[in-house]
Amino acid sequence: MDVVLEQLKNGVRRFRKEVYPKHAEMYAQAASELQRPHTLFIACADSRVDPNEITSSGVGDVFVTRNIGNMVPAYGEMLGGVSAVVEFAVSFLQVRHIVVCGHSDCGAMKALLNPEAMTELPAVNNWMKNAHAALAVSEKLYERDLEEGTGRTRIEELTEQNVLLQLQHLKTHPSVAGAMAMGELTVSGWVYDIGSGAVRVAEDGQREFTPIEPVV
């Protein structure tokens, strides 16, 4: 018996028995209409990060793409899955907002700080080129942190700078640039803390990440 497959099957059984019946009308409506998500959410593939759960989004609200390190290659450099998702979401689905979301304890950021860990992962190593500029910036900022005694860690700086870099890359995509120029699209960068559930956001043009305060 494939234990993992059985675990997944049991999950489907619980979904069909406990979850689906409670929201049958919503699922039926979603199946009968074209999807109209309001947001494209670009997240890391880390299994601990769930965009719909973090944002309390319903079926059809968020169009999601995930990859190692929540990266967006600059347009023309690595045309592929991420570029196709961005183009489809903006030009066809006409999403109104795009989130690039990094997170705490990110394996991709750890790999950037320890490149020897990727020597036997050539595809991953090549993908990491999309964050090299963030690594350079974060190293400078970390030097300042040490001088000022801020207590911030290298990976914290890198995680934030990577999100900001990917936002820059995102704006090189023609569909994004055109929609933003017309005032039809906005973007933001997020950092999600897995341990606390906290989310910090840098709105477009900002370099500081501000916490989303919980409802009192």
Side-chain angles (χ1 to χ4, degrees), residues 8 33 61 72 98 108 140 177 182 191 195-196 213:
L8 294 171
E33 300 175 349
D61 291 340
V72 183
I98 301 179
K140 292 294 184 182
M182 295 298 294
V191 174
S196 68
E213 297 297 340

Side-chain angles (χ1 to χ4, degrees), residues 8-211:
L8 294 171
K9 288 180 179 179
N10 286 334
V12 172
R13 293 182 182 106
R14 286 194 298 273
F15 169 75
R16 293 296 305 277
K17 181 180 180 180
E18 301 171 13
V19 178
Y20 182 86
K22 297 177 182 178
H23 307 284
E25 185 176 339
M26 177 185 66
Y27 285 111
Q29 182 177 348
S32 65
E33 300 175 349
L34 291 175
Q35 62 169 322
R36 286 285 178 245
H38 51 66
T39 298
L40 167 60
F41 203 101
I42 302 172
C44 183
D46 192 297
S47 59
R48 300 167 294 177
V49 179
D50 186 335
N52 284 75
E53 188 171 58
I54 294 169
T55 60
S56 300
S57 295
V59 175
D61 291 340
V62 180
F63 196 65
V64 178
T65 186
R66 303 172 66 149
N67 64 68
I68 293 176
N70 43 271
M71 297 186 197
V72 183
Y75 189 78
E77 291 187 6
M78 290 184 181
L79 287 179
V82 177
S83 300
V85 167
V86 170
E87 184 176 82
F88 182 77
V90 175
S91 298
F92 185 77
L93 297 178
Q94 298 181 333
V95 297
R96 302 190 302 277
H97 190 76
I98 301 179
V99 170
V100 176
C101 183
H103 66 93
S104 61
D105 194 43
C106 181
M109 300 302 101
K110 291 178 179 178
L112 280 166
L113 294 173
N114 300 281
E116 64 278 3
M118 297 185 289
T119 54
E120 297 183 5
L121 300 171
V124 174
N125 191 42
N126 184 58
W127 181 249
M128 290 299 162
K129 294 177 182 177
N130 294 302
H132 281 179
L135 180 62
V137 173
S138 67
E139 287 176 349
K140 292 294 184 182
L141 292 175
Y142 183 62
E143 291 176 4
R144 184 193 64 186
D145 291 335
L146 291 176
E147 292 176 359
E148 298 179 356
T150 64
R152 287 174 60 81
T153 65
R154 291 184 69 188
I155 196 167
E156 287 174 336
E157 286 288 9
L158 179 55
T159 299
E160 290 186 359
Q161 294 307 313
N162 179 58
V163 169
L164 295 175
L165 175 64
Q166 305 314 318
L167 285 176
Q168 292 180 37
H169 290 172
L170 184 65
K171 293 177 184 179
T172 67
H173 289 247
S175 57
V176 173
M180 292 188 72
M182 295 298 294
E184 299 168 348
L185 178 70
T186 55
V187 300
S188 63
W190 295 19
V191 174
Y192 166 59
D193 186 271
I194 295 172
S196 68
V199 175
R200 293 178 295 114
V201 176
E203 298 187 20
D204 189 26
Q206 298 178 341
R207 298 197 64 82
E208 298 293 327
F209 288 76
T210 303

